[in-house]
Amino acid sequence: MKICFFNRSYWPDQAATGQLLTELAEDLVARHGCEVSVVAGRALHGSEGRTRRLGPISPVRYEARRGVRILRANGTAFPRHRFAGRASNYLTYFASAYAASWRLGPQDVVVSLTDPPILGLAALRAARRAGARFVFVCEDVFPEVAVLLDDFHNETVNRALDRINRYLLQEADAVVALGDRMKRRLVEEKGADPSRVRVVHNWADCEAIMPRPKDNAFARAHGLTDRFVLMHSGNVGLSQNLDLLLEAAARLTSRERLVVAIVGDGARRQPLQEMAARRGLTNVRFFPYQPKEQLDESFATADAFLVSLKPGLEGYIVPSKVYGILASGRPFVAAVDPSCEAAVIAREHQCGTIAPPGEPDALAASIAALCDDPAGARVMGENARRAAWCYDRRVAVQSYYDLFASLGRGPVPA
């Protein structure tokens, strides 16, 4: 089976969608014998493998890594902290990706993710040209995600994004939603055919991420072995409402053992650091992204995690970080709407607590409760590890493979 993915983020990028797509593509090759291509954006963090440049002015170059053929569509690489930079990066990548789509050759399945949200148009055209089935994977739902973020409000663009999103949902041979709440959004609000929508959760690799001792090199290096650490790990972006975490931290300053650790980078990191400094929040510490091979130690340093999302975003975004938290065997506080996937997992598996989004007092109380009840937190962590196997990498890859294979055998099962 020949499968081609379109998504700007791919190895070696550190964004969650890029890391997940890399694992999916490589496993489809290694475990299922598929021929996989990826039309990705420019590598921003270096690269390895075999690289052949197509020419000094070409928008596309070829690479190969672990059996996956990568068509690297060039584009601008402006800082992503402002909308203008992100928009330029998206549009130039889209143009190069469209050019790359002419070089794919025959395919059985063409898959588009939503980075950027208009990318499905190029992928759909490539699928139709190749006589392939088209699968639309909704990592995010637009324009709602754009509307609810702080740095962008443009009605004309948002109407266009809504039309594009609805068109891709109608044209897709199959649609992947990342959770049941997202499926309901797509069917009830966007008009997607429920018989074509399949729920496939994001995942963590339970063989790579495992519960580890808190006394480790990362914790010792930063003096955290004897502290209760509440950690946010991953993108420090516009959707998580991390200002709320700082408000909660301000209410917890009397607890000398408690440290709030924000690990990662993104558009909100610098403003949050400045806010913490202005308010004298010495119980809040910031750390850079940790290399993938060292995630076990940084995760093990945490006694509990935060999963947060701005009110109204539930079902339009599914926080993928929850699956790595489960694999690490740690409890979490879900500062999200009760219908959000993270809250559903916390309730069903008894592996976390839920704090209403936008309420710093409730968040502070949830963090304090975990800090004050180490035995209860430990039980939640054990429950989390058991739950992680439901969302393991191998389970998700098999689900995708089964979906792609079914497309050649008639309608997609509901």
Side-chain angles (χ1 to χ4, degrees):
M1 186 162 46
K2 295 182 178 180
I3 306 168
C4 179
F5 293 92
F6 281 70
N7 195 58
R8 188 179 61 87
S9 181
Y10 190 74
W11 168 88
D13 287 348
Q14 296 173 327
T17 55
Q19 292 189 26
L20 290 169
L21 178 56
T22 301
E23 292 178 354
L24 174 59
E26 293 177 355
D27 282 5
L28 287 170
V29 172
R31 295 177 179 273
H32 298 283
C34 300
E35 295 182 27
V36 179
S37 302
V38 179
V39 179
R42 63 188 295 175
L44 302 179
H45 305 285
S47 71
E48 59 187 62
R50 302 189 307 278
T51 302
R52 179 170 66 84
R53 292 189 177 278
L54 300 181
I57 61 173
S58 173
V60 182
R61 69 177 187 269
Y62 292 137
E63 300 177 14
R65 182 177 188 260
R66 296 180 180 173
V68 178
R69 179 184 182 228
I70 306 169
L71 285 74
R72 195 71 75 175
N74 288 317
T76 59
F78 293 117
R80 301 182 69 251
H81 300 294
R82 294 182 179 276
F83 171 77
R86 296 198 302 275
S88 175
N89 296 345
Y90 289 160
L91 291 173
T92 54
Y93 162 67
F94 175 83
S96 295
Y98 184 78
S101 71
W102 288 86
R103 309 181 185 193
L104 289 177
Q107 300 291 323
D108 296 306
V109 181
V110 174
V111 186
S112 177
L113 282 69
T114 49
D115 179 16
I118 61 173
L119 181 59
L121 295 174
L124 175 61
R125 180 60 62 89
R128 298 295 181 253
R129 193 164 53 240
R133 307 298 290 271
F134 173 59
V135 178
F136 187 37
V137 178
C138 296
E139 290 283 343
D140 300 310
V141 179
F142 289 89
E144 285 76 9
V145 170
V147 168
L148 291 168
L149 299 181
D150 291 337
D151 70 338
F152 177 67
H153 298 280
N154 185 300
E155 289 300 322
T156 301
V157 173
N158 287 332
R159 283 195 297 270
L161 288 176
D162 185 54
R163 287 196 295 270
I164 291 169
N165 197 49
R166 291 175 182 272
Y167 172 71
L168 293 172
L169 289 168
Q170 292 169 3
E171 292 295 314
D173 297 294
V175 175
V176 173
L178 302 188
D180 293 321
R181 183 70 177 101
M182 180 179 282
K183 179 177 180 178
R184 293 199 302 273
R185 293 275 199 196
L186 295 175
V187 172
E188 296 169 7
E189 300 175 20
K190 299 295 181 180
D193 182 346
S195 68
R196 296 186 182 183
V197 182
R198 176 80 62 84
V199 173
V200 183
H201 298 275
N202 280 340
W203 63 89
D205 188 338
C206 291
E207 294 180 358
I209 302 175
M210 302 178 66
R212 302 291 187 188
K214 182 178 176 69
D215 187 356
N216 62 71
F218 182 90
R220 289 193 297 271
H222 300 290
L224 297 173
T225 54
D226 61 346
R227 301 296 186 97
F228 179 90
V229 178
L230 185 285
M231 183 178 290
H232 166 89
S233 181
N235 183 42
V236 186
L238 298 165
S239 65
Q240 290 100 0
N241 197 20
L242 292 178
D243 298 52
L244 183 74
L245 179 58
L246 266 59
E247 292 292 338
R251 290 157 168 77
L252 296 167
T253 53
S254 62
R255 296 173 179 270
E256 296 181 358
R257 287 189 60 250
L258 192 149
V259 173
V260 172
I262 297 176
V263 182
D265 200 359
R268 288 294 299 161
R269 175 174 170 137
Q270 183 174 342
L272 288 169
Q273 283 184 284
E274 293 171 354
M275 186 187 307
R278 283 196 308 271
R279 300 189 64 172
L281 297 178
T282 57
N283 60 344
V284 179
R285 297 177 62 181
F286 292 83
F287 301 92
Y289 269 122
Q290 298 302 301
K292 190 172 182 180
E293 59 273 13
Q294 296 178 15
L295 276 179
D296 267 3
E297 289 190 347
S298 65
F299 272 42
T301 299
D303 296 278
F305 283 85
L306 173 73
V307 179
S308 59
L309 200 62
K310 284 185 175 179
L313 281 176
E314 64 280 351
Y316 299 125
I317 294 176
V318 176
S320 61
K321 63 171 55 67
V322 68
Y323 305 108
I325 294 168
L326 296 176
S328 71
R330 296 296 193 267
F332 62 92
V333 178
V336 298
D337 185 89
S339 68
C340 180
E341 206 71 25
V344 173
I345 291 171
R347 285 195 303 270
E348 289 186 353
H349 297 280
Q350 296 295 298
C351 57
T353 62
I354 303 169
E359 297 186 18
D361 289 333
L363 177 56
S366 293
I367 296 170
L370 287 171
C371 180
D372 293 343
D373 184 11
R378 186 163 52 251
V379 170
M380 285 187 185
E382 293 167 355
N383 292 341
R385 178 63 183 180
R386 283 191 290 272
W389 291 104
C390 301
Y391 310 100
D392 181 49
R393 173 177 175 171
R394 279 144 289 275
V395 174
V397 173
Q398 184 68 52
S399 295
Y400 273 105
Y401 176 79
D402 291 344
L403 171 60
F404 299 153
S406 73
L407 291 173
R409 301 194 298 268
V412 179

